[in-house]
Amino acid sequence: MSATRRQFMVASAATSALAALGKPTKAFAAADGGIKWTKGVCRYCGVGCGVYKGVRDGKLVAIKGDKENHNDGYVCLKGFLLPQILYHEDRLTHPLIKKNGKLVKASWDEALDLVAKKFTESVKKNGKDSVAFYGSGQAYTEESYAANKLFRAGFRTNNVEGNPRLCMASAVGGYVTTFGKDEPMGTYDDIDHADVFFIIGSNTAEAHPVLFQRIARRKKADPNVKIIVADPRMTPTGRIADIYLKFKPNTDLFVLNAFANYFVQNDLVDKEFIKNHVAFGKGKAADQNWDAYVAFLAPYTMEKAAEVSGCPIEDLTAAAKLFGCKKNRTMSMWTMGINQRLRGVWGNNLIHNLHLITGKIGIPGSTTFSLTGQPNACGGVRDQGGLCHILPYGRLVKKPEHRAEVEKIWGVPPGTIGDKPGKHALAMFQALETKDIKCIYIMCTNPGHSLPNVNRYRKAMADPDTFVVVADIYPTRTTELADVVLPAAAWSEKEGVFGCTERRYQLEHQVVLPQGEARADFDILVDLAARCGYGKLMPWKSPDDAWEELLRLAEGTMYQIGGITRARLRKDHGVIWPCPTEDHPGTKLRYVKGEDPWVPKDYPHRIMFYAKPDNRAVVWFRPWENAAEMPDEEYPFFFTTGRVIEHWHTATMTGRCKELKHAKITSEVEIHPDDAKKLGVRTGDGVRVTSRRDSLVFPALVTDNSQPGLVFVHMHDANLKRMCNKITIDQFDPGSKEPTFKICAVKLAKA
Ligand SMILES: Nc1nc2c(c(=O)[nH]1)N[C@H]1C(S)=C(S)[C@@H](COP(=O)(O)OP(=O)(O)OC[C@H]3O[C@@H](n4cnc5c(=O)[nH]c(N)nc54)[C@H](O)[C@@H]3O)O[C@H]1N2
Ligand SMILES: Nc1nc2c(c(=O)[nH]1)N[C@H]1C(S)=C(S)[C@@H](COP(=O)(O)OP(=O)(O)OC[C@H]3O[C@@H](n4cnc5c(=O)[nH]c(N)nc54)[C@H](O)[C@@H]3O)O[C@H]1N2
Ligand code: SF4
Ligand SMILES: [Mo]
C-alpha cells in the first residue's frame, strides 16, 4: 500500500469510529447548530448502512451513522462524504437533446414528447420488442417498478433488465437452483455468532467496509474465531486471515469440490440433516443420490486440489478442517470473484453444497451468505422482478399462472405480458448493435463504461440509427452517447425504498429539493407513461401508491413483505422480510421453524426448504471447468478487474468528491515482481496490456499482492485511455448470463 493509501485507510477507520459514537462529537457539535437530522440509508454499497442526514438552510451538510440500525452507527468514508455527491457543479440540471451531433438544452416537454414519440412509433413500426429498459440496483424500488410496469404492460415487452445482471445474476441462479427462491436465509447478525468465516472471491474490506469491520470486531472479541480468505490476490481483506488461500484464478471450483470430498472422507458430514433436507442433482434434474455424489467427488482430492490451485495442501486441509469441524458455526461470504465467471452459478451451488452436507445452515452463525453489491439490487431488482426473465416476487415470465397473477393485479387483459423472457443485458446491447432493439431507456447506470468489451456497445449506442435515452445525475461515458439526457434528482432529493443484502427494506427520505430542473426518476417515468398513452397504468400520486401496489403483488407469495407498510418504513430503521403483518418483528432465520412464518409450527424438523419440491434443498454436482478465455501462448496472462475502497464503479460520484477524486483514481496494472522483472518494468513504468479486444497502457504497480501470471486493474478509471472494459471479454455464464469480468487473457509489454 502506498503511504497516501495507508493514510486514507486509517482516515476511513477514524471517521467510522467517529460516526460510531452516534452522538455529536466535537467536530459535529460545532457544526450542529441549526442542523435537522433525518434518518436514511447510504446510497453506495449493498451493506445498506443506516445514516442520519443533516440539513441546514436547505442543504445536505453532514452524515452520521445510525446507532439504531444494523450498522450500529458505523459508516465508511464514502458514506461519510455523501453530501458532496449532490453539489458538484457538473450536475445535470436540465434535459438535453442531441441535435447535429451535439447535446443541447431542451425543455422537459420537448424531451419527453420526443422520447414518447420515438418509443411508441418504434413499437408500432418494428414491434414491441424493438424497445428496451436497462435499469439499476441503485434506483429505488418504486422507480424500477414504474419502469417494469411501463415496459411490460404498456409497451408489452419483457425487455426489462438492469445492471444486477452484471453483478448478482449468478447468486440469484445459485439460490434459486439450490433452495428454490432467491435471497439468503441469514442476516448480518450471523456475523456475531460465527466461529469460522469463509470469505471467497470477496474483497470485503474494500467493497463492504462496514461489514468487514463487524467481522473484525467479532474476531477481536473472541480470539478463537478463525477467518479463511480465498482470493487469487492478497487484498486488504486477506490481511485479517488466519488461513489465506492464494489460488490460481478459476481453480476455486476444484477446491470447493475438494472441501466437500474432504468432509465426506473425514466424517464431517451431517447424515441426519442430509436424510431429512437434501436432494441430489446433476444437470437440471434432482434425480441423483448420496452414492452418486460420493462417486462424483472422488477425483477431487486434496492432493489434486493443491496441484491445480497452487495452494499448499496443509493450508487447504487446515481450511477444510476449520470449515467442517462439527462444533464450528461457519459463515460463507462471497461476491464477484465467484459470480462474474463462466461458471458463476456453479460456484454458488458449490458453496451452498458445503453448508448442506455439513448441516451448517439456519443456525445463528452458520449460513451461506452472498454479499450483494448495490444498495437496492435485492429489493429493487431481484425481488421486484426487474430482470428479463422474472416478474415481481419470485414469479417467472415463462409460467402462465405467474403472468396471469400479475396481469390481474395490474388490471390488464390476459396475454398482455409476453410469454418469453426478454433480452438479458448483453443480448440487449447486442440487439442494439443489430438494430433489433431501436430504442433503449437507461436509468441510473453507466453501461458506456461498465459493460465488458465496451467498445462494441459504445459503438452501438453512438449509432445514429439507435435512440438512446439516459437518465443520470451527472454527465457520464453513457450520456455522451445519448440522444436524450434526462436530469435525475439524486438520493436525498427524492423518496423511495432500498432493500439490502440481508433482506432488510428501508425507506430513504427526501430531505432536500432537486437541483435545477432535475426530477425524480419515478416522476419522469410516470410522466412518460402518460405521454405514451399509458397513464391509466400509473394512477399514482407518489411512490407511496406504487409501494401499496407492490405489497399487493407480494401477497400470497413466499416474499412475505405485507407488514412492511409505508407507515412502518417511515418509523422503523429497516425491516427484514419475511414479515407478514405490521406487528411482526421480521425474520432473521429464513426457512427455520419458529422464526420464518411460512414454516408450519408443527413441521417435524427445525428447518424447511419450502421453496423446493419435498422441502429439500439440492446438492448439485458441478464440475470444475476452464474459464471462457484461458491464457495461452499468445495471451499468457490472466487479466482480472475489480474495486478499490475509495471509488464507486464508474466514479461519476466519488470522482466528484474532493477527498476522493485524486485517491487511487488512475487505474494501475498490479503485477507480480517476478513478471515485472521479466518485462523489465518498475512501479510507475507504462505497461501495455493487450487482449483480443483492445490494447491500453497503464502505469505499473509492482506488488506481490498479485501472483505470477495474473494482473489486476481496477474498474473505476473513466479515462478512455485506461477504461479496463475495453479489454475485458463479453462472454457470460450460460445459466445466469452474467459476464465473466473476473477472467480473460492478455499479453503484456513494456510501453
Ligand atoms: N468501494 C467500493 N465498494 C463497492 C463497490 C465499488 O464500486 N466500490 N461496488 C459494489 C458492488 S456493485 C459490488 S458487485 C461489490 C463487489 O465486491 P467484490 O466482489 O468484493 O469486489 P471485486 O474487487 O469486484 O472482486 C472481488 C475479488 O474477486 C477476486 N477474484 C478474481 N478472480 C477470481 C477467481 O477466479 N476466483 C475467486 N474466488 N476470486 C477471484 C479479485 O481478486 C477480487 O479481490 O462491491 C460493492 N461495493
Ligand atoms: N471490469 C469490470 N466491469 C464491471 C464490474 C467489474 O467487476 N469489473 N462489475 C460490474 C458490476 S458488479 C456492476 S454492479 C456494474 C456497475 O456499473 P454501473 O451501474 O454502470 O456504474 P455506476 O457508476 O454505479 O453507475 C450508476 C450511474 O447512476 C447515476 N446516478 C446516481 N444516482 C442516480 C439517480 O438517482 N438517478 C439516476 N437516473 N441516475 C443516478 C450515477 O451518476 C452513475 O452514472 O459494473 C459492472 N462492470
Ligand atoms: S459500508 Fe457501504 S453502505 Fe455502509 S457507509 Fe460504506 S458504502 Fe455506505
Ligand atoms: Mo455489482
Side-chain angles (χ1 to χ4, degrees):
M1 247 189 288
S2 66
T4 47
R5 186 129 211 269
R6 202 172 308 119
Q7 282 159 0
F8 182 89
M9 295 281 225
V10 171
S12 196
T15 47
S16 303
L18 179 133
L21 296 176
K23 52 183 186 269
T25 60
K26 257 193 199 155
F28 267 129
D32 219 17
I35 291 187
K36 182 174 178 245
W37 294 99
T38 309
K39 85 173 166 67
V41 197
C42 173
R43 67 95 47 234
Y44 284 119
C45 85
V47 177
C49 293
V51 296
Y52 271 94
K53 308 192 284 190
V55 173
R56 191 174 48 206
D57 302 332
K59 234 183 133 174
L60 182 66
V61 292
I63 291 287
K64 60 182 174 182
D66 177 359
K67 265 266 177 207
E68 288 173 79
N69 212 318
H70 68 82
N71 51 309
D72 196 22
Y74 288 84
V75 291
C76 76
L77 196 56
K78 277 193 304 305
F80 188 68
L81 296 172
L82 273 165
Q84 289 189 38
I85 67 175
L86 302 185
Y87 300 116
H88 193 278
E89 59 185 12
D90 294 348
R91 270 297 292 272
L92 293 168
T93 52
H94 49 74
L96 300 164
I97 295 179
K98 194 163 268 173
K99 288 183 182 154
N100 303 320
K102 273 212 154 119
L103 285 167
V104 296
K105 186 171 174 177
S107 69
W108 273 107
D109 278 336
E110 256 181 289
L112 287 185
D113 282 342
L114 177 64
V115 177
K117 178 167 163 273
K118 287 281 187 181
F119 276 65
T120 48
E121 277 182 6
S122 184
V123 168
K124 261 192 221 124
K125 206 167 128 217
N126 311 303
K128 52 195 173 54
D129 292 328
S130 68
V131 301
F133 173 77
Y134 184 67
S136 171
Q138 298 165 57
Y140 293 146
T141 306
E142 302 89 327
E143 297 170 344
S144 298
Y145 176 58
N148 199 355
K149 195 173 181 189
L150 169 60
F151 278 73
R152 288 199 219 255
F155 300 128
R156 301 180 60 165
T157 179
N158 283 318
N159 286 337
V160 174
E161 266 285 293
N163 61 5
R165 180 72 67 182
L166 315 181
C167 178
M168 300 316 299
S170 297
V172 175
Y175 278 121
V176 171
T177 49
T178 300
F179 300 103
K181 287 280 181 229
D182 186 21
E183 303 292 356
M185 56 286 293
T187 66
Y188 302 145
D189 270 14
D190 285 294
I191 293 173
D192 307 333
H193 302 280
D195 303 305
V196 175
F197 293 92
F198 180 53
I199 302 176
I200 177 164
S202 156
N203 184 0
T204 330
E206 299 202 65
H208 296 94
V210 167
L211 272 199
F212 184 74
Q213 289 171 344
R214 189 158 172 180
I215 297 168
R217 286 201 299 281
R218 167 79 186 129
K219 187 166 165 64
K220 207 168 162 201
D222 182 349
N224 294 319
V225 167
K226 299 287 182 215
I227 301 181
I228 307 160
V229 175
D231 194 300
R233 301 159 49 231
M234 169 54 93
T235 62
T237 310
R239 286 178 227 286
I240 201 182
D242 297 280
I243 301 178
Y244 168 55
L245 302 174
K246 195 184 205 175
F247 55 87
K248 291 183 194 143
N250 197 52
T251 60
D252 43 355
L253 268 59
F254 195 108
V255 170
L256 291 166
N257 274 324
F259 276 20
N261 194 14
Y262 183 88
F263 299 160
V264 172
Q265 301 305 325
N266 293 278
D267 195 26
L268 294 174
V269 296
D270 184 337
K271 294 206 177 94
E272 188 64 17
F273 185 89
I274 294 169
K275 192 178 104 211
N276 295 326
H277 302 295
V278 175
F280 294 89
K282 198 168 135 184
K284 286 190 168 169
D287 57 0
Q288 302 288 312
N289 59 25
W290 173 253
D291 293 339
Y293 182 53
V294 173
F296 162 79
L297 289 176
Y300 295 95
T301 61
M302 279 296 181
E303 290 73 21
K304 195 80 209 283
E307 192 187 313
V308 167
S309 70
C311 292
I313 190 165
E314 302 74 40
D315 291 353
L316 289 171
T317 314
K321 217 179 246 171
L322 275 180
F323 189 122
C325 174
K326 289 205 170 163
K327 70 171 195 7
N328 286 343
R329 288 158 298 176
T330 303
M331 182 168 190
S332 294
M333 296 183 193
W334 66 99
T335 322
M336 293 308 118
I338 294 289
N339 292 353
Q340 291 173 335
R341 304 270 299 281
L342 183 65
R343 291 303 179 185
V345 177
W346 291 5
N348 277 264
N349 290 144
L350 292 180
I351 296 171
H352 299 323
N353 286 357
L354 298 180
H355 288 268
L356 286 172
I357 63 174
T358 56
K360 291 183 190 292
I361 193 161
I363 301 163
S366 272
T367 196
T368 172
F369 196 67
S370 140
L371 301 180
T372 292
Q374 298 175 92
N376 201 25
C378 288
V381 176
R382 292 158 66 173
D383 302 349
Q384 181 276 133
L387 296 172
C388 69
H389 65 296
I390 55 175
L391 293 170
Y393 303 110
R395 297 179 179 94
L396 296 173
V397 167
K398 65 176 187 217
K399 289 208 169 166
E401 66 276 23
H402 289 176
R403 295 196 301 274
E405 284 165 16
V406 175
E407 286 164 347
K408 193 166 163 217
I409 293 167
W410 283 353
V412 295
T416 297
I417 302 175
D419 59 359
K420 286 195 191 62
K423 292 206 164 16
H424 61 83
L426 283 181
M428 195 173 255
F429 286 90
Q430 283 161 12
L432 205 63
E433 193 177 38
T434 56
K435 318 256 165 42
D436 290 310
I437 289 178
K438 293 209 161 45
C439 302
I440 188 166
Y441 188 108
I442 297 168
M443 181 178 94
C444 203
T445 177
N446 187 3
H449 177 144
S450 60
L451 290 175
N453 192 9
V454 73
N455 288 335
R456 186 177 167 189
Y457 305 110
R458 288 180 61 80
K459 200 168 153 219
M461 285 186 265
D463 191 315
D465 293 335
T466 57
F467 184 72
V468 176
V469 181
V470 181
D472 204 296
I473 62 171
Y474 282 115
T476 69
R477 286 280 167 231
T478 309
T479 60
E480 70 188 8
L481 309 171
D483 296 282
V484 174
V485 176
L486 304 173
W491 163 92
S492 278
E493 298 172 349
K494 56 181 183 178
E495 179 184 300
V497 177
F498 269 164
C500 71
T501 296
E502 63 163 1
R503 289 175 280 112
R504 178 185 295 268
Y505 284 6
Q506 334 195 45
L507 188 66
E508 234 306 296
H509 299 257
Q510 179 181 1
V511 293
V512 290
L513 292 173
Q515 306 194 18
E517 296 172 28
R519 298 172 71 187
D521 290 295
F522 183 82
D523 296 334
I524 302 174
L525 287 161
V526 172
D527 188 344
L528 177 63
R531 287 172 204 254
C532 294
Y534 304 127
K536 268 204 198 135
L537 288 174
M538 301 188 192
W540 310 320
K541 298 218 163 45
S542 73
D544 293 25
D545 299 333
W547 186 252
E548 285 307 310
E549 204 170 294
L550 282 160
L551 295 187
R552 282 214 303 287
L553 279 161
E555 252 169 50
T557 72
M558 289 170 186
Y559 289 69
Q560 293 190 294
I561 58 171
I564 312 183
T565 59
R566 209 68 175 182
R568 185 157 178 202
L569 282 168
R570 287 196 193 290
K571 190 164 88 258
D572 282 12
H573 300 242
V575 187
I576 298 177
W577 62 269
C579 176
T581 53
E582 244 188 316
D583 56 0
H584 191 281
T587 303
K588 294 217 164 148
L589 297 168
R590 196 179 173 203
Y591 302 129
V592 174
K593 186 168 65 175
E595 302 277 338
D596 183 333
W598 198 272
V599 181
K601 295 246 166 1
D602 58 353
Y603 192 68
H605 306 291
R606 76 169 171 85
I607 196 163
M608 177 184 181
F609 296 116
Y610 51 73
K612 271 287 188 193
D614 305 328
N615 305 316
R616 284 172 183 277
V618 183
V619 163
W620 293 102
F621 306 0
R622 303 300 195 204
W624 168 63
E625 270 185 10
N626 273 342
E629 188 182 53
M630 291 294 283
D632 55 19
E633 260 177 37
E634 199 184 349
Y635 297 93
F637 286 85
F638 278 110
F639 181 74
T640 192
T641 61
R643 290 153 176 82
V644 296
I645 192 170
E646 294 89 339
H647 287 287
W648 180 256
H649 298 147
T650 66
T652 59
M653 292 174 283
T654 48
R656 288 185 171 93
C657 270
K658 64 178 188 303
E659 289 84 354
L660 300 175
K661 67 180 175 197
H662 298 299
K664 227 17 200 177
I665 187 59
T666 302
S667 278
E668 297 161 304
V669 57
E670 292 187 10
I671 179 169
H672 191 270
D674 295 355
D675 291 329
K677 202 168 159 201
K678 280 184 213 152
L679 289 167
V681 298
R682 291 195 213 163
T683 292
D685 291 349
V687 175
R688 177 164 290 284
V689 180
T690 306
S691 75
R692 290 183 177 85
R693 274 73 56 195
D694 205 345
S695 179
L696 303 176
V697 176
F698 301 92
L701 177 64
V702 180
T703 165
D704 58 9
N705 292 341
S706 191
Q707 59 171 284
L710 169 70
V711 293
F712 168 85
V713 169
H714 79 56
M715 66 172 289
H716 309 295
D717 198 336
N719 187 319
L720 288 171
K721 289 189 180 144
R722 287 186 303 271
M723 215 162 70
C724 71
N725 276 326
K726 293 176 160 207
I727 289 179
T728 50
I729 190 169
D730 50 351
Q731 283 285 356
F732 50 85
D733 179 313
S736 67
K737 324 290 188 224
E738 176 159 344
T740 69
F741 289 108
K742 284 293 174 272
I743 297 182
C744 73
V746 295
K747 59 184 168 195
L748 306 179
K750 189 172 174 174

